[in-house]
Amino acid sequence: MTWTVAPEPYDSPVAVALWRAYYTEVSDRWYLLHEGRRTDPEELEREIAARTGADLPPPRGRLLVARYAGEPAGSAGFRLLDGATAELTRVFLYEGMRGRGGAGPLVRAAEDAARAAGATRMILDTRGDLVEARALYARLGYTETAPHNDDPYAEHWFAKRLG
């Protein structure tokens, strides 16, 4: 089986389904860890609707979808913050697709797209409980840095030169 990665409109049915799965998973993980419960369904719907991905279309960003054997399996995107810095976002693989070698090519494709848009540096943030994500970023050459935002859920910040 092979992986492919290609641009996808942020509001396509495939992208919307991936965003819903991503947000549901990270939200539920946070609430289960901190409050012993899953995300309230109304809150989940409100947050998914509020973060549409409208900041991801070119020329200031891009959403990419990874497919495994032709089936949607994951996503990654970036948005330009300034002329040289891009922020990596929405890195996600469906649970059943993890461990099959798709995360690296997906993130590298987002880096290539950001580089093509003029970025020379990629930054990102993540949470402490997302240990798999932190391990992936370290494996791909990202180094932990000082905070670059005040997101209340961010606990680790990373950067990588795209040169």
Side-chain angles (χ1 to χ4, degrees), residues 60-124:
R60 305 276 316 153
R62 171 125 336 167
L63 181 70
L64 301 166
V65 167
R67 287 178 168 77
Y68 184 75
E71 293 298 315
S75 66
F78 78 89
R79 61 179 147 259
L80 289 175
L81 302 179
D82 59 39
T85 305
E87 181 179 31
L88 184 64
T89 186
R90 296 195 184 200
V91 177
F92 175 74
L93 286 175
Y94 285 125
E95 187 174 3
M97 295 291 109
R98 295 174 193 160
R100 298 181 187 206
L106 180 57
V107 171
R108 284 191 290 278
E111 292 170 353
D112 290 345
R115 192 178 297 106
T120 58
R121 180 175 177 248
M122 185 79 87
I123 63 172
L124 64 96

Side-chain angles (χ1 to χ4, degrees), residues 41-78:
E42 288 180 17
E43 178 187 3
L44 185 67
E45 293 305 317
R46 189 173 52 250
E47 291 301 314
I48 288 171
R51 300 173 190 222
T52 64
D55 56 345
L56 296 176
R60 305 276 316 153
R62 171 125 336 167
L63 181 70
L64 301 166
V65 167
R67 287 178 168 77
Y68 184 75
E71 293 298 315
S75 66
F78 78 89

Side-chain angles (χ1 to χ4, degrees), residues 1 9 19 23 31 35 38 50 57 60 67 78 91 106-108 115 124 127 134 146 156 160 162:
M1 300 291 171
W19 172 232
Y23 197 84
Y31 277 110
E35 297 184 12
R38 295 198 179 280
R60 305 276 316 153
R67 287 178 168 77
F78 78 89
V91 177
L106 180 57
V107 171
R108 284 191 290 278
R115 192 178 297 106
L124 64 96
R127 297 190 326 234
R134 291 182 11 239
H156 297 270
K160 179 180 180 179
L162 298 179

Side-chain angles (χ1 to χ4, degrees), residues 8-28:
E8 182 85 20
Y10 75 92
D11 56 354
S12 76
V14 166
V16 170
L18 284 161
W19 172 232
R20 173 172 290 285
Y22 167 86
Y23 197 84
T24 300
E25 181 176 328
V26 297
S27 183
D28 280 351

